[in-house]
Amino acid sequence: MKKVKTVEVRDVQIGQGKPKIIVSLISATRQKLQQEIQHLLQKQPDIWEWRLDFVDVHDQSDIFETLSLIRELTFPSPLIVTYRTVQEGGHGRLRSDAYKELLLQIASTQLCDFIDVELFSEDAKDLIHAIHQAGCKVIVSNHDFEKTPPKEELIWRLREMQFINGDIGKLAVMPKRAHDVLSLLDAADQMKTLYADRPFLVMAMGDLGAITRLGGHHFGSCATFAAGSSPSAPGQLPVDLMKQLLL
Ligand SMILES: O=C1C[C@@](O)(C(=O)O)C[C@@H](O)[C@@H]1O
């Protein structure tokens, strides 16, 4: 087994100890986001994710003001900013150049700890490098909302996330049958045993995949997404329940 670097953000050590619980903020307006955070603060997630693609404002200055508010309200917990594209199951419709520019602008604000970069986005490796230069960490992600690719493909994707230098890799698939869940967990286990030199997380979505959100850490997953006000993807369990079950 390779030595796995942990990723440390203030006093949260990702890749060590209990899996970290991440809660996504999915409101469409700044006012609703503020209420959403206030409601969720008492549940004390380890990490927050702002799903920027859920926001219906396209004005950049609004985005930065909103980010600043989210940072203030959730600090000192680590904050991820994610702009999930329609190709990967989100609402984001920006074209490649605008996607890259937006992520770089966000990185340069230094108002979040991680930016999500999709593995198959154009020039992902260069984009990751530029985000690092701007002082921000990267979660490299890949989502298949239709199916679960074969195990070897899943392992290849997880290794590629590492190869292009994401700080953390993240893979989400949709299982169609129980065996798909086994493929995902097997891929994670092999990744952990043979290749991982940094933290990664995997999840199978939907009801069938819920087991991976609860027990994925036994197969190498460093964190798990739980539902805050509502799920940001199918199969997420409520954050309070997740906290009790992961004790
Ligand atoms: O990549 C992920 C994982 C996720 O899709 C899930 O299945 O929990 C939820 C998204 O908000 C996040 O960006």
Side-chain angles (χ1 to χ4, degrees), residues 24 49 51 84 143 170 203 205 213 225 232-233 236:
S24 307
E49 175 191 58
R51 283 289 301 267
R84 179 73 56 242
H143 307 75
K170 175 175 65 175
M203 65 229 79
M205 296 180 279
R213 298 187 185 273
F225 278 81
S232 66
Q236 287 177 354

Side-chain angles (χ1 to χ4, degrees), residues 17 28 55 78 94 98 108 159 178 188 206:
V55 172
L94 287 182
S108 66
R159 294 185 71 187

